[in-house]
Amino acid sequence: MPSPLNILLVDDEVVRAAMVEEALMAEGHRVICRLASPASLNQMVERHQPDVVIIDMESPDRDTLESMALLNRENPRPVVFFADQHDSDMLQAALKSGVSAYVVDGLVPERVESIVEVAIARFDAFQSMRQELDKARNQLTERKRIERAKGLLMKHQNCDEEQAYRMLRKLAMDRGQRIAEVADSVIDILARLNPTVPASEPRGSRS
């Protein structure tokens, strides 16, 4: 790997956890937090800010899946899950909860290095895709708000679409704001003038 990693390790077996930590240290990495259960996983990740989370247990139970899902929402990290037993349903549930790599047959210290590397690559690719998707959704929402503001201006000012857009653009330049932000203001103002016009949605909401 290009640089040493700070790792949070979840393992209820003390001896095995010590062996894994030793193997990671031999590769230049550091276990900055070791937990016996994932109950406080999100809080510990927020506190210690690890680069990777490694979980080793027999199989992910409901509480573990909920902990991983919470982590994926609030403090997403590459998560490697080593399970002792194969269960297709649990595997799918773990992947939906944000696990980057799910390995059956338990944790073998010698394999950790390569598996973590793959997990980080998958996590980075997924995060990039999610950011692109969020960006596309936000752009679509902004376009809808701008189109709505133009339509209201056309009706209120008795002008055509190009003139309405020029009004929005000029207001944006004068205020030093983005056109989408000006569009929200225009919608809100016209909503107050005409109660039949719904106010703009909160920014970032999906249509």
Side-chain angles (χ1 to χ4, degrees), residues 109-120:
E110 293 76 15
R111 300 173 57 197
V112 172
E113 175 80 4
S114 59
I115 291 171
V116 167
E117 186 174 2
V118 171
I120 292 174

Side-chain angles (χ1 to χ4, degrees), residues 31-178:
V31 175
I32 57 174
C33 179
R34 187 196 297 178
L35 304 176
S37 81
S40 59
L41 180 60
N42 187 55
Q43 296 94 315
M44 292 299 101
V45 167
E46 185 173 7
R47 178 183 299 177
H48 296 284
Q49 297 294 311
D51 300 308
V52 181
V53 174
I54 295 177
I55 303 175
D56 185 27
M57 57 194 306
E58 184 175 338
S59 180
D61 55 24
R62 182 175 179 179
D63 291 340
T64 300
L65 292 172
E66 290 178 354
S67 295
M68 292 189 298
L70 178 62
L71 175 68
N72 190 45
R73 288 194 303 271
E74 297 189 356
N75 292 290
R77 292 291 191 285
V79 176
V80 182
F81 196 104
F82 291 91
D84 293 331
Q85 299 180 358
H86 176 70
D87 186 316
S88 297
D89 292 337
M90 284 300 180
L91 173 107
Q92 294 300 322
L95 294 176
K96 288 180 181 178
S97 297
V99 170
S100 305
Y102 189 99
V103 183
V104 181
D105 295 332
L107 193 159
V108 179
E110 293 76 15
R111 300 173 57 197
V112 172
E113 175 80 4
S114 59
I115 291 171
V116 167
E117 186 174 2
V118 171
I120 292 174
R122 288 179 178 173
F123 175 81
D124 289 343
F126 178 78
Q127 288 297 106
S128 179
M129 289 175 58
R130 184 158 68 176
Q131 290 171 4
E132 288 298 321
L133 180 59
D134 288 343
K135 181 180 178 180
R137 285 173 174 165
N138 290 335
Q139 289 175 341
L140 178 60
T141 300
E142 288 186 355
R143 284 199 297 269
K144 288 181 177 179
R145 296 204 305 266
I146 292 170
E147 289 300 316
R148 185 170 175 224
K150 284 196 303 183
L152 292 173
L153 281 173
M154 289 166 64
K155 182 177 180 180
H156 188 267
Q157 298 293 331
N158 193 26
C159 62
D160 60 26
E161 183 177 359
E162 184 178 353
Q163 291 173 320
Y165 184 74
R166 286 177 180 172
M167 291 180 193
L168 290 175
R169 187 172 60 183
K170 186 176 187 306
L171 281 171
M173 293 177 63
D174 291 344
R175 296 183 179 184
Q177 294 178 317
R178 297 168 62 249

